[in-house]
PDB file of all heavy atoms in Angstrom:
ATOM      1  N   SER V  18     -28.045  72.112  34.981  1.00  0.00           N
ATOM      2  CA  SER V  18     -26.985  72.859  35.449  1.00  0.00           C
ATOM      3  C   SER V  18     -26.435  72.103  36.679  1.00  0.00           C
ATOM      4  O   SER V  18     -25.324  72.156  37.081  1.00  0.00           O
ATOM      5  CB  SER V  18     -27.502  74.257  35.867  1.00  0.00           C
ATOM      6  OG  SER V  18     -27.912  74.790  34.531  1.00  0.00           O
ATOM      7  N   ALA V  19     -27.513  71.667  37.520  1.00  0.00           N
ATOM      8  CA  ALA V  19     -26.952  70.961  38.885  1.00  0.00           C
ATOM      9  C   ALA V  19     -26.088  69.759  38.529  1.00  0.00           C
ATOM     10  O   ALA V  19     -25.139  69.533  39.179  1.00  0.00           O
ATOM     11  CB  ALA V  19     -28.238  70.579  39.673  1.00  0.00           C
ATOM     12  N   ALA V  20     -26.506  68.932  37.462  1.00  0.00           N
ATOM     13  CA  ALA V  20     -25.676  67.821  37.170  1.00  0.00           C
ATOM     14  C   ALA V  20     -24.266  68.287  36.681  1.00  0.00           C
ATOM     15  O   ALA V  20     -23.381  67.629  36.985  1.00  0.00           O
ATOM     16  CB  ALA V  20     -26.503  66.904  35.995  1.00  0.00           C
ATOM     17  N   ALA V  21     -24.409  69.302  35.864  1.00  0.00           N
ATOM     18  CA  ALA V  21     -23.059  69.837  35.419  1.00  0.00           C
ATOM     19  C   ALA V  21     -22.214  70.276  36.521  1.00  0.00           C
ATOM     20  O   ALA V  21     -20.956  70.034  36.561  1.00  0.00           O
ATOM     21  CB  ALA V  21     -23.270  70.865  34.391  1.00  0.00           C
ATOM     22  N   ARG V  22     -22.828  70.938  37.628  1.00  0.00           N
ATOM     23  CA  ARG V  22     -22.107  71.370  38.627  1.00  0.00           C
ATOM     24  C   ARG V  22     -21.519  70.118  39.423  1.00  0.00           C
ATOM     25  O   ARG V  22     -20.508  70.235  39.976  1.00  0.00           O
ATOM     26  CB  ARG V  22     -22.989  72.373  39.542  1.00  0.00           C
ATOM     27  CG  ARG V  22     -23.272  73.729  38.968  1.00  0.00           C
ATOM     28  CD  ARG V  22     -23.696  74.626  40.057  1.00  0.00           C
ATOM     29  NE  ARG V  22     -25.083  74.249  40.685  1.00  0.00           N
ATOM     30  CZ  ARG V  22     -26.230  74.599  40.002  1.00  0.00           C
ATOM     31  NH1 ARG V  22     -26.173  75.247  38.989  1.00  0.00           N
ATOM     32  NH2 ARG V  22     -27.282  74.149  40.587  1.00  0.00           N
ATOM     33  N   ARG V  23     -22.411  69.213  39.528  1.00  0.00           N
ATOM     34  CA  ARG V  23     -21.921  68.036  40.328  1.00  0.00           C
ATOM     35  C   ARG V  23     -20.744  67.425  39.599  1.00  0.00           C
ATOM     36  O   ARG V  23     -19.787  66.910  40.258  1.00  0.00           O
ATOM     37  CB  ARG V  23     -23.070  66.930  40.530  1.00  0.00           C
ATOM     38  CG  ARG V  23     -24.088  67.484  41.527  1.00  0.00           C
ATOM     39  CD  ARG V  23     -24.934  66.241  41.967  1.00  0.00           C
ATOM     40  NE  ARG V  23     -25.679  65.719  40.847  1.00  0.00           N
ATOM     41  CZ  ARG V  23     -26.941  66.132  40.373  1.00  0.00           C
ATOM     42  NH1 ARG V  23     -27.498  67.146  41.040  1.00  0.00           N
ATOM     43  NH2 ARG V  23     -27.589  65.650  39.379  1.00  0.00           N
ATOM     44  N   GLN V  24     -20.721  67.278  38.260  1.00  0.00           N
ATOM     45  CA  GLN V  24     -19.676  66.810  37.548  1.00  0.00           C
ATOM     46  C   GLN V  24     -18.394  67.600  37.737  1.00  0.00           C
ATOM     47  O   GLN V  24     -17.336  66.934  37.882  1.00  0.00           O
ATOM     48  CB  GLN V  24     -20.113  66.681  36.043  1.00  0.00           C
ATOM     49  CG  GLN V  24     -18.955  65.975  35.109  1.00  0.00           C
ATOM     50  CD  GLN V  24     -18.758  64.575  35.673  1.00  0.00           C
ATOM     51  OE1 GLN V  24     -19.661  63.874  35.967  1.00  0.00           O
ATOM     52  NE2 GLN V  24     -17.479  64.153  35.508  1.00  0.00           N
ATOM     53  N   LEU V  25     -18.607  68.875  37.796  1.00  0.00           N
ATOM     54  CA  LEU V  25     -17.408  69.709  37.863  1.00  0.00           C
ATOM     55  C   LEU V  25     -16.847  69.501  39.417  1.00  0.00           C
ATOM     56  O   LEU V  25     -15.574  69.495  39.466  1.00  0.00           O
ATOM     57  CB  LEU V  25     -17.753  71.189  37.732  1.00  0.00           C
ATOM     58  CG  LEU V  25     -18.132  71.603  36.292  1.00  0.00           C
ATOM     59  CD1 LEU V  25     -18.632  73.073  36.343  1.00  0.00           C
ATOM     60  CD2 LEU V  25     -16.835  71.491  35.446  1.00  0.00           C
ATOM     61  N   LEU V  26     -17.696  69.229  40.310  1.00  0.00           N
ATOM     62  CA  LEU V  26     -17.234  68.933  41.651  1.00  0.00           C
ATOM     63  C   LEU V  26     -16.518  67.668  41.718  1.00  0.00           C
ATOM     64  O   LEU V  26     -15.551  67.568  42.482  1.00  0.00           O
ATOM     65  CB  LEU V  26     -18.410  69.109  42.681  1.00  0.00           C
ATOM     66  CG  LEU V  26     -18.933  70.575  42.878  1.00  0.00           C
ATOM     67  CD1 LEU V  26     -20.224  70.547  43.747  1.00  0.00           C
ATOM     68  CD2 LEU V  26     -17.976  71.403  43.431  1.00  0.00           C
ATOM     69  N   ARG V  27     -17.065  66.707  40.992  1.00  0.00           N
ATOM     70  CA  ARG V  27     -16.459  65.442  41.143  1.00  0.00           C
ATOM     71  C   ARG V  27     -15.126  65.413  40.457  1.00  0.00           C
ATOM     72  O   ARG V  27     -14.283  64.610  40.905  1.00  0.00           O
ATOM     73  CB  ARG V  27     -17.335  64.276  40.467  1.00  0.00           C
ATOM     74  CG  ARG V  27     -18.570  63.941  41.392  1.00  0.00           C
ATOM     75  CD  ARG V  27     -19.076  62.564  40.771  1.00  0.00           C
ATOM     76  NE  ARG V  27     -19.513  62.667  39.389  1.00  0.00           N
ATOM     77  CZ  ARG V  27     -20.845  63.011  39.186  1.00  0.00           C
ATOM     78  NH1 ARG V  27     -21.629  63.231  40.071  1.00  0.00           N
ATOM     79  NH2 ARG V  27     -21.242  62.994  37.905  1.00  0.00           N
TER      80      ARG V  27
END
Side-chain angles (χ1 to χ4, degrees):
S18 298
R22 286 196 297 272
R23 286 196 299 272
Q24 182 62 38
L25 287 173
L26 289 173
R27 281 199 299 268

